[in-house]
Amino acid sequence: MTVSSGSDHKRFRTGAGDWYRASPLYQMTALSGPVPLQLLLVPPDPWPGDAPQGQELLNNHFRFAGLSLAGEVPPWEAPAATAPWLTEMHGFDWLRHLRATGGDGARRQARVLTNHWLDLYGKRWHPVAWAPDIVGTRIAAWIGQHDFFLASADDQLRAATFDSLARQVRFLERVLPGKLVGTDLITAIKGLAYGGLCLQGMGRMVERARILLTRELPKQVLPDGGHIEHSPARQLVVLRHLIDIRGCFRAAREEVPEALQHAIDRMTPTLRFFRHGDGGLALFNGAQEGEPVLIDTVLGQADARGRPLKSTPHIGFERLTAGRTCILMDTGYPPGPGLDDHAHAGTLSFEMSVGRERMIVNCGAHPADMGPWRAALAATAAHSTVTVADTNSTGVNEAGGLSRRPQRVLSQRAEANGGTLLEASHDGYRPLFGLTHRRRLYLAESGEDLRGQDVLAGPPGHAFAVRFHLHPSVQTAWVEGEAGLMLRLASGALWHLRVSGAEITLEDSIYLGHGTEPRTTRQVVLRAVTGGGETLVKWGFRREGTDTET
């Protein structure tokens, strides 16, 4: 396989049985069987496509995961391809973008690309094309977009597609669950369920999918409704997959697995928990803001009410709201090994929005989420929290995942003087420096006064920084005669930052809440050195009215 080091992601590495799956014997026997002649049903597909991206696909420009590649033939194994790009390219979920473009040209392009994939991989195993989660995505895409590109296709393409679909479903039946965990396993189970419910003669797969869902969902969807990967973005993706699976069961007039419905009911309030006032997601553990319209659609399709959450203790987040202010804070352990591919070293970081305006943010994530981008954006310094000696509080692997991690993370909240008090701590810096970080936030009942304390307990002589990354729309001005800043939101709202116990500076930062191009912004940095025992830095943000200047 001639792809760059980015594709050497652990999901694509060969395993002990791959020599057999790659053999003609396996393709001719293990996956052979009757070929379905038609679909029994086409499941609902309520998700919007991206027409501009569909137009790019029409012009043979393949833009996925922050990378755009072009060619007269689809670059399925392009040397410049990264693992995230290959995952999307071979998954065919982009068929809905062509559908959004509309017209016969889009249908023809969908058929050309599908036919080309079938020629190369339809009966030939390949470590990327046949990765189980990618297979699951592709099965759901081909079945879900059947009426768009396949219903009126010529008999040869239809026969080849249905033959390949049957082979792919049989493949999933044999390999699941294997070593898959988290979102990848749910994605693969989705393909198995679609194949069993929609393909003629493959009904036995339905019970297999039902068993896997019943076994897996209680492990992945924790009692607080949070997904086990602790990421707002993964919360959205998994909930969307579960809604699709439920829709397929309903369209087939099959009983919806109880575990599936319970998971949807629990996950929906937690997805709402992760939203800021602008409708986008908080930027923790590999998440970008996402599209509010898509998030609204997912929440609407979930059709699950659920009471509003203040805490998600099992995945470790707290939400403080008062007046127009919303604060979301990471107060938990990082996700466990194997579930931490997208996890960041942002323990005790927080984000703050006022109405529809973001004020304090984390730096976000890049769609490629590996290499230099991951090293920079998953770092503790890219989060609004404390960094000691320019070192991550949790070890970050550039290829995905975490190494060294905190052993003890504690948090508690209480109502105090009409407001909310949140206290949390972690020992991620203890092995390296002997230090424990404690953070205390108090949000007043009005929502216009946030007071904070950061304490480092341990030996002296260690330089540290308290960072507040600002949203690019926030402007700053120094307050004459004091250690403080005035922050001006785009609406004109003014917030006064006061600091004691540290030197305050303004430094450059970036924000990657959308897409692949970072926006320049600023960060407030409070610098100090531990003095032995407990070193305390106090700070506070207070609303000071509105600037009427235009």
Side-chain angles (χ1 to χ4, degrees):
M1 180 177 175
T2 57
V3 294
S4 70
S5 59
S7 67
D8 293 331
H9 190 273
K10 57 191 174 185
R11 289 201 306 107
F12 297 154
R13 293 174 186 163
T14 57
D18 287 347
W19 67 271
Y20 173 54
R21 286 192 287 272
S23 70
L25 176 64
Y26 182 76
Q27 294 295 332
M28 291 297 291
T29 59
L31 300 184
S32 63
V35 177
L37 300 177
Q38 61 184 4
L39 292 183
L40 299 174
L41 62 102
V42 177
D45 181 46
W47 317 119
D50 183 335
Q53 189 169 356
Q55 189 61 49
E56 292 179 7
L57 290 166
L58 271 173
N59 296 323
N60 290 320
H61 289 273
F62 305 92
R63 176 171 53 86
F64 308 121
L67 176 66
S68 183
L69 299 175
E72 293 184 7
V73 295
W76 305 106
E77 299 180 44
T82 61
W85 187 94
L86 289 164
T87 296
E88 291 200 43
M89 182 72 191
H90 284 265
F92 279 81
D93 197 52
W94 41 261
L95 283 171
R96 64 169 41 86
H97 303 323
L98 284 170
R99 181 190 67 185
T101 303
D104 290 338
R107 286 189 183 84
R108 284 195 298 272
Q109 181 71 334
R111 293 167 186 164
V112 167
L113 296 174
T114 302
N115 196 58
H116 193 261
W117 189 92
L118 289 168
D119 286 345
L120 291 177
Y121 309 109
K123 294 185 178 179
R124 180 175 71 88
W125 184 86
H126 184 277
V128 176
W130 286 83
D133 57 310
I134 296 178
V135 172
T137 301
R138 187 168 53 246
I139 291 169
W142 283 359
I143 290 175
Q145 303 302 324
H146 170 273
D147 289 353
F148 159 62
F149 82 105
L150 198 58
S152 57
D154 62 73
D155 291 343
Q156 184 176 355
L157 177 58
R158 283 181 56 82
T161 303
F162 277 102
D163 178 57
S164 180
L165 278 170
R167 288 176 177 272
Q168 292 177 61
V169 174
R170 293 185 191 105
F171 173 75
L172 291 182
E173 181 188 26
R174 283 161 173 76
V175 302
L176 293 185
K179 295 182 180 180
L180 287 187
V181 295
T183 306
D184 294 340
L185 180 51
I186 298 298
T187 306
I189 295 172
K190 177 181 174 180
L192 187 66
Y194 268 54
L197 292 164
C198 303
L199 288 174
Q200 191 178 52
M202 308 206 76
R204 72 178 186 277
M205 309 297 181
V206 177
E207 185 58 26
R208 179 66 178 147
R210 190 186 296 273
I211 290 171
L212 288 170
L213 288 168
T214 301
R215 180 188 307 165
E216 188 63 24
L217 288 177
K219 300 177 186 176
Q220 291 205 27
V221 182
L222 302 181
D224 57 16
H227 185 255
I228 199 168
E229 293 181 53
H230 300 197
S231 165
R234 295 282 156 171
Q235 186 85 14
L236 176 65
V237 168
V238 171
L239 180 55
R240 180 174 159 181
H241 283 333
L242 299 186
I243 291 168
D244 280 340
I245 296 170
R246 182 183 66 180
C248 199
F249 270 96
R250 286 177 173 175
R253 302 194 176 187
E254 287 271 354
E255 182 181 357
V256 175
E258 185 177 0
L260 175 58
Q261 185 60 55
H262 285 174
I264 292 171
D265 290 341
R266 289 199 306 273
M267 292 189 77
T268 303
T270 309
L271 180 60
R272 292 192 183 98
F273 170 94
F274 280 126
R275 299 184 86 181
H276 280 290
D278 60 5
L281 300 174
L283 307 186
F284 297 106
N285 290 329
Q288 291 192 332
E289 294 179 18
E291 296 298 331
V293 171
L294 175 61
I295 299 169
D296 285 339
T297 303
V298 170
L299 291 170
Q301 290 292 322
D303 191 28
R305 299 295 177 257
R307 59 184 179 83
L309 301 174
K310 295 181 179 180
S311 303
T312 55
H314 293 87
I315 56 170
F317 291 91
E318 295 286 340
R319 180 183 178 96
L320 282 62
T321 56
R324 302 180 68 242
T325 299
C326 171
I327 293 170
L328 284 155
M329 183 169 166
D330 182 347
T331 59
Y333 293 92
L339 296 160
D340 57 0
D341 277 359
H342 305 279
H344 285 191
T347 308
L348 302 198
S349 66
F350 78 95
E351 295 195 323
M352 176 179 176
S353 59
V354 182
R356 298 182 62 83
E357 298 180 284
R358 298 187 187 222
M359 189 168 95
I360 308 299
V361 296
N362 295 320
C363 288
H366 192 276
D369 197 30
M370 58 173 43
W373 276 119
R374 173 163 172 80
L377 294 171
T380 303
H383 296 75
S384 293
T385 188
V386 169
T387 308
V388 177
D390 294 323
T391 303
N392 293 329
S393 61
T394 297
V396 173
N397 302 326
E398 288 193 15
L402 305 173
S403 53
R404 170 184 52 82
R405 58 185 67 216
Q407 297 301 303
R408 188 173 176 83
V409 185
L410 302 173
S411 71
Q412 60 180 8
R413 66 183 288 160
E415 304 303 315
N417 301 322
T420 305
L421 177 66
L422 176 60
E423 297 187 74
S425 65
H426 78 84
D427 65 353
Y429 287 118
R430 180 176 291 277
L432 299 176
F433 309 112
L435 295 170
T436 297
H437 174 210
R438 297 202 310 270
R439 169 162 275 184
R440 187 174 191 258
L441 300 185
Y442 173 76
L443 181 63
E445 186 177 17
S446 66
E448 297 186 346
D449 185 10
L450 172 66
R451 303 170 208 169
Q453 295 181 0
D454 284 296
V455 176
L456 283 172
H462 296 292
F464 68 93
V466 184
R467 286 184 164 83
F468 305 105
H469 293 273
L470 304 178
H471 188 270
S473 63
V474 177
Q475 298 177 350
T476 61
W478 291 104
V479 178
E480 189 173 350
E482 66 172 72
L485 279 170
M486 194 66 73
L487 308 182
R488 183 183 186 276
L489 307 189
S491 64
L494 297 175
W495 287 75
H496 190 176
L497 168 62
R498 293 181 173 88
V499 174
S500 68
E503 177 187 356
I504 182 171
T505 62
L506 264 177
E507 302 179 12
D508 291 334
S509 182
I510 62 170
Y511 183 72
L512 238 175
H514 287 287
T516 62
E517 296 298 324
R519 299 167 64 185
T520 58
T521 187
R522 303 285 274 170
Q523 59 175 313
V524 181
V525 185
L526 316 181
R527 296 189 182 278
V529 178
T530 58
E534 293 192 347
T535 304
L536 171 65
V537 176
K538 293 182 178 181
W539 47 268
F541 293 92
R542 186 179 180 87
R543 173 75 183 270
E544 296 286 355
T546 301
D547 184 357
T548 58
E549 294 182 9
T550 58

